Amino acid sequence: MADRRKLAAGNWKMNGTADTLGMVETLAGAHGEARSELLICPPATLVHRLAGAVAGTSIAVGGQDCHWEETGAHTGDVSAAMLADAGASHVILGHSERRADHGETDAIVRAKTQAAWAAGLTAIVCVGETLAEREASNTIDIIGGQLAGSLPDQATGLNLVVAYEPVWAIGTGKVATADQIGEVHDEIRRRLEKRFGAGVGRSVRLLYGGSVKPDNAAEIFAVENVDGALIGGASLKADDFGGIIAALDAA
Ligand code: 13P
């Protein structure tokens, strides 16, 4: 089994202003020595400030999206190179909220992933089925299609993390069961190994996301092929994020 370092990644979504950064100090104080890798992805406006605030701690900073081009006439967009310049080391791509709100297709996510890699960022590529797709027993096909379409060929265990986020479990308090998570994560692992070879396929970390909280984290982290979590709401509170980090460290 490949030696995959666990990763707890917070996705603040469109939440956070300068006064939110105080919780990061609390978090760094309590979990600066965590065995797991820690990452916070604030809104783009806070990337640079957060990078300054966590300098000297083990917490890394990521963006939540980037454009596929490096510069140009794209009003309102931010490029991967700009995120890197602001102090980010990671970027979330293809989150279901961007796929739904901004019509992002697998091809767009793939182009963005390539741009992220060109800028030296690790891409956290999100996949996940809707409730209707799950109820129609299409989950594995949907995830397989998203992986095939969204991931460029040059994936490595360092430049890629895959996050499985069932759309119906995001922000709803509904968590996928351990069996549901295990089935999808095993399938993602198999597909990564088949496409990229066993070495790369085994070294890419797989995160679960969707209503992860301190009280359900241990059960989720006990599932095979779950290497951490992508955490929304709970990542905005130092106590909740800290509880999840503690559960991941103990897993
Ligand atoms: P919640 O943890 O708020 O359900 O959000 C999950 C998510 O979308 C993380 O990217």
Side-chain angles (χ1 to χ4, degrees), residues 212-223 243-244 246-248 250-251:
V212 178
K213 308 282 181 230
D215 61 0
N216 60 28
E219 194 189 346
I220 293 167
F221 296 147
V223 177
I244 294 167
L248 188 58

Side-chain angles (χ1 to χ4, degrees), residues 140 143 147 182-192:
I140 295 299
I143 304 294
L147 289 173
E183 185 197 12
V184 174
H185 279 236
D186 288 353
E187 185 64 26
I188 294 173
R189 179 74 62 211
R190 266 195 295 276
R191 289 185 188 231
L192 292 177

Side-chain angles (χ1 to χ4, degrees), residues 4 12 40 69 105 130 135 148 161 188 213 225 230 241-242:
R4 296 185 297 268
W12 284 5
I40 296 178
E69 286 182 9
T105 61
T130 63
E135 285 176 348
V161 173
I188 294 173
K213 308 282 181 230
N225 279 317
L230 186 53
F241 199 0

